Each structure stands twice: as C-alpha cells, then as structure tokens.
Amino acid sequence: MMNQELTYEAAYTELQQIAEEIENETVSVDILAEKVKRASVLIEFCQQKLRATEVEVNNIIKQMENKPGA
C-alpha cells in the first residue's frame, strides 16, 4: 500500500480526479470498480486525517486554556 506518504491534499486531489473521470464516463466498466474501491479508501483516509486533526486542535486549545495568565 502506498499510504505511507499520502497527504490529505494528495488524497483529495486524487478523489477529485476519480470523480471527474466517473462523471465524464472516461472510465471503462472494468476500471470503474477499481476506481470506486480506491475512492472509498481515499475517503476513509481523509476522514481519519480530519478526525486526528480535530483531536490535535482540541488538545492545543485545552493546553492554552490551562496556561496561567492566558
């Protein structure tokens, strides 16, 4: 799996490309199934990234609130 260096931006861009290909019907039926599978992996990846980021931001906010004189 090449998920090691996948960024949110890259995943999002790839999702947009897949969506365009499907909308424009430039994808053969054989490849379509693979594209849909790949899209679901990318969507899951993006959702996990967003959840992780939300947790990080909330932790930073908590730390800032706990600092004396803040």
Side-chain angles (χ1 to χ4, degrees), residues 7-17 42 45-46:
T7 63
Y8 182 85
E9 301 285 319
Y12 190 78
T13 302
E14 192 178 338
L15 268 173
Q16 285 181 310
Q17 287 170 344
L42 291 168
F45 171 82
C46 288

Side-chain angles (χ1 to χ4, degrees), residues 1-23:
M1 216 74 186
M2 22 182 285
N3 262 16
Q4 298 159 334
E5 291 303 312
L6 188 63
T7 63
Y8 182 85
E9 301 285 319
Y12 190 78
T13 302
E14 192 178 338
L15 268 173
Q16 285 181 310
Q17 287 170 344
I18 291 171
E20 267 177 45
E21 288 172 7
I22 293 170
E23 281 172 26

Side-chain angles (χ1 to χ4, degrees), residues 8-40:
Y8 182 85
E9 301 285 319
Y12 190 78
T13 302
E14 192 178 338
L15 268 173
Q16 285 181 310
Q17 287 170 344
I18 291 171
E20 267 177 45
E21 288 172 7
I22 293 170
E23 281 172 26
N24 299 336
E25 294 173 9
T26 54
V27 181
S28 74
V29 174
D30 296 324
I31 299 171
L32 184 61
E34 285 302 311
K35 293 277 181 186
V36 171
K37 271 187 219 164
R38 178 66 179 155
S40 68

Side-chain angles (χ1 to χ4, degrees), residues 25-62:
E25 294 173 9
T26 54
V27 181
S28 74
V29 174
D30 296 324
I31 299 171
L32 184 61
E34 285 302 311
K35 293 277 181 186
V36 171
K37 271 187 219 164
R38 178 66 179 155
S40 68
V41 168
L42 291 168
I43 290 167
E44 179 62 31
F45 171 82
C46 288
Q47 288 174 334
Q48 286 175 351
K49 267 281 202 222
L50 289 173
R51 279 194 292 269
T53 302
E54 188 180 6
V55 169
E56 283 177 37
V57 169
N58 286 338
N59 287 340
I60 291 168
I61 291 170
K62 277 181 199 153

